[in-house]
Amino acid sequence: MLTLLPASLAEAQQWANKMFEVRDYDFGVVARGSEQQFRFEFTNPYEEDVHIERVRSSCGCTSPSLEKSQISTFQTTAIVATFNTRTLRGAQGATLTVIFDKPFRAEVRLLVKGYIRPDVVFQPGSVQFGDVVLGTPVERTITVQHAGAVDWEIRDVRSVNSFYQVFLKHRTVTENRVDYQLLVRLTDKAPAGYLNDQLILVTNDLQNRELRL
């Protein structure tokens, strides 16, 4: 446990930065309409309580929210950054400024960026399984729409967790659009607790090979 006794203005600023292990995040290439969030977690290692006055964003492309404004000793919380993929397109980036007013005034700047593809849409924007009984498999369907080259393909879907299974059920090609139906299954091997993960869609697009869902 640490006691805050900053000797200078610079040290007063650095005590807040030291609570964050990650202060920048790249959403990568994402589809229009997809749900994209990142949690900037931080822990209070000090004897004093820490309080966040507010968080502001430099750009409408990213909305920040606080999980908790008052953080006691050894508590962990997060600033949640939500990337706006519904109304914006192309390369986007923002600086999130976290303003602390206790025990000393300080600011922490969190950087986010990403590229929103205008030609790919997920419907819906995320897979929501809801409340699931442990040991019960659950399935949801996602539609992926690509406008443009009709030879566009999804080659693979990757996940860091084996309890997700994804099946490409249908591929429909029209004059200028390719549609996929993705069946996403949460298997009976999924652990108890809250799950929040990403799937990586691997395509044959050499410029933007991966998409995150």
Side-chain angles (χ1 to χ4, degrees):
M1 187 184 301
L2 304 175
T3 301
L4 277 173
L5 294 172
S8 66
L9 182 62
E11 290 181 12
Q13 177 65 41
Q14 285 304 313
W15 71 263
N17 285 334
K18 290 177 180 178
M19 293 191 293
F20 290 80
E21 290 190 8
V22 175
R23 283 187 284 154
D24 61 87
Y25 182 74
D26 187 352
F27 287 99
V29 180
V30 298
R32 180 161 54 95
S34 62
E35 183 175 316
Q36 302 292 334
Q37 288 188 335
F38 182 74
R39 298 174 72 254
F40 288 97
E41 291 189 351
F42 64 99
T43 301
N44 176 14
Y46 305 111
E47 290 185 1
E48 298 87 348
D49 288 350
V50 170
H51 184 264
I52 298 174
E53 182 180 274
R54 66 185 185 275
V55 183
R56 66 172 183 260
S57 176
S58 65
C59 171
C61 65
T62 308
S63 300
S65 61
L66 273 172
E67 290 189 346
K68 183 184 294 186
S69 59
Q70 182 88 6
I71 307 98
S72 300
T73 304
F74 297 140
Q75 280 191 335
T76 297
T77 187
I79 308 297
V80 180
T82 301
F83 203 41
N84 179 8
T85 67
R86 300 189 181 279
T87 60
L88 298 175
R89 309 288 183 270
Q92 304 290 335
T95 299
L96 309 181
T97 303
V98 186
I99 302 173
F100 294 87
D101 58 356
K102 293 180 182 179
F104 304 99
R105 294 202 68 86
E107 294 184 359
V108 174
R109 289 176 174 80
L110 310 174
L111 306 179
V112 295
K113 65 179 181 179
Y115 183 86
I116 305 165
R117 290 190 59 163
D119 57 339
V120 180
V121 181
F122 290 161
Q123 294 183 342
S126 63
V127 181
Q128 299 287 343
F129 290 110
D131 294 331
V132 178
V133 177
L134 185 65
T136 304
V138 183
E139 297 178 349
R140 295 289 186 270
T141 300
I142 295 285
T143 299
V144 182
Q145 299 175 341
H146 174 269
V150 295
D151 60 349
W152 187 83
E153 294 180 354
I154 298 175
R155 296 283 179 83
D156 192 16
V157 182
R158 299 171 182 168
S159 171
V160 296
N161 293 315
S162 60
F163 42 81
Y164 295 113
Q165 295 177 337
V166 183
F167 305 93
L168 301 176
K169 296 195 65 176
H170 301 288
R171 182 177 185 270
T172 305
V173 180
T174 58
E175 182 177 350
N176 58 359
R177 201 174 83 181
V178 178
D179 289 1
Y180 275 94
Q181 294 292 319
L182 268 63
L183 177 68
V184 184
R185 176 182 297 158
L186 182 68
T187 71
D188 56 2
K189 305 299 183 183
Y194 178 72
L195 302 176
N196 185 14
D197 297 289
Q198 284 190 332
L199 300 176
I200 305 298
L201 278 62
V202 183
T203 75
N204 64 341
D205 187 334
L206 297 179
Q207 293 185 338
N208 295 299
R209 187 177 294 275
E210 296 184 349
L211 288 167
R212 300 181 187 183
L213 170 63

